[in-house]
Amino acid sequence: EPEVTQTPSHQVTQMGQEVILRCVPISNHLYFYWYRQILGQKVEFLVSFYNNEISEKSEIFDDQFSVERPDGSNFTLKIRSTKLEDSAMYFCASTGRTNTEAFFGQGTRLTVV
Amino acid sequence: GIQVEQSPPDLILQEGANSTLRCNFSDSVNNLQWFHQNPWGQLINLFYIPSGTKQNGRLSATTVATERYSLLYISSSQTTDSGVYFCAGDDKIIFGKGTRLHILP
């Protein structure tokens, strides 16, 4: 069964460092998303991406964040100059069309120390 | 933006009990989904249910789109059902705060 794959599963980084979280969406999907879940809290929308550009972004997704689809399979989230409060689980998701069933990756647990 | 309310926030039940979880949306959505977040943090798709009723084993879900709510039913609960249940919908796939279910052996 097709699935969304995220790497790494865990990442520990020092405050101020840049991190890149990677996702491989389901191959025939066209819409891609990133979410953040701080421990014990709800899953929060960060950004959606379609046709090589950002469709929508939340107020959380400030200049510290960027997304890219560098090739035909990967979808990345870059966090520049990480802060302690960026520690969270980050999920990638993809859908075939807008407003259809979404499939989520297993998440990357980011710890900023 | 759309608001998603889930109730109850927490639920503790004995193994074998039945439960009903509710999800209300502030506006119409046409892609409502239910997820189970397991102890490892993974989001497991339970149902994609924009409207109507679906069943999968001991779990079933009903969405009344015209009234902007959905219900998730869990029958004969098992300890492996423990975890957080989320509903989500909208083009940005907005999540509720979840219902934390704890099944006691």
Side-chain angles (χ1 to χ4, degrees):
Chain A
E1 184 175 307
E3 61 180 13
V4 177
T5 305
Q6 289 185 240
T7 55
S9 54
H10 294 89
Q11 179 146 5
V12 180
T13 189
Q14 291 215 320
M15 191 169 52
Q17 296 296 303
E18 175 183 284
V19 296
I20 297 177
L21 310 183
R22 291 182 165 80
C23 171
V24 179
I26 293 173
S27 62
N28 62 348
H29 281 187
L30 301 175
Y31 294 80
F32 315 119
Y33 310 80
W34 282 103
Y35 295 82
R36 178 183 81 176
Q37 186 182 31
I38 294 170
L39 187 64
Q41 299 187 22
K42 68 186 242 182
V43 179
E44 300 174 289
F45 169 77
L46 292 177
V47 65
S48 58
F49 191 87
Y50 170 72
N51 201 25
N52 281 321
E53 60 183 30
I54 291 174
S55 307
E56 295 194 69
K57 58 184 181 179
S58 72
E59 59 188 21
I60 303 169
F61 194 88
D62 59 20
D63 292 343
Q64 179 194 11
F65 294 90
S66 62
V67 290
E68 191 178 32
R69 189 155 163 82
D71 54 42
S73 59
N74 290 283
F75 179 51
T76 62
L77 175 69
K78 183 189 290 186
I79 310 175
R80 286 182 280 274
S81 188
T82 48
K83 298 177 276 207
L84 294 176
E85 54 264 38
D86 293 327
S87 295
M89 181 80 98
Y90 288 83
F91 290 102
C92 170
S94 69
T95 62
R97 302 188 309 275
T98 189
N99 286 310
T100 57
E101 186 173 12
F103 294 88
F104 283 73
Q106 80 278 21
T108 293
R109 187 171 299 281
L110 176 66
T111 301
V112 182
V113 297
Chain B
I2 200 164
Q3 304 296 316
V4 184
E5 298 291 332
Q6 290 189 243
S7 60
D10 297 281
L11 191 55
I12 301 174
L13 297 172
Q14 287 293 139
E15 200 168 25
N18 302 329
S19 57
T20 301
L21 282 57
R22 186 177 178 106
C23 175
N24 291 327
F25 283 81
S26 61
D27 203 349
S28 299
V29 297
N30 52 14
N31 62 339
L32 197 148
Q33 288 186 245
W34 283 96
F35 299 90
H36 177 218
Q37 188 165 41
N38 65 21
W40 297 271
Q42 295 175 307
L43 290 167
I44 309 300
N45 286 37
L46 295 178
F47 294 101
Y48 173 68
I49 187 163
S51 63
T53 298
K54 290 186 177 179
Q55 180 155 7
N56 184 3
R58 295 181 295 102
L59 273 61
S60 64
T62 295
T63 295
V64 183
T66 53
E67 297 188 22
R68 303 194 302 270
Y69 75 88
S70 184
L71 302 173
L72 177 69
Y73 306 97
I74 305 173
S75 64
S76 304
S77 301
Q78 301 175 358
T79 56
T80 51
D81 295 331
S82 296
V84 184
Y85 290 80
F86 291 103
C87 64
D90 186 59
D91 59 347
K92 296 188 292 292
I93 318 170
I94 301 301
F95 282 70
K97 291 184 178 180
T99 292
R100 185 173 299 275
L101 178 64
H102 189 54
I103 305 298
L104 302 173

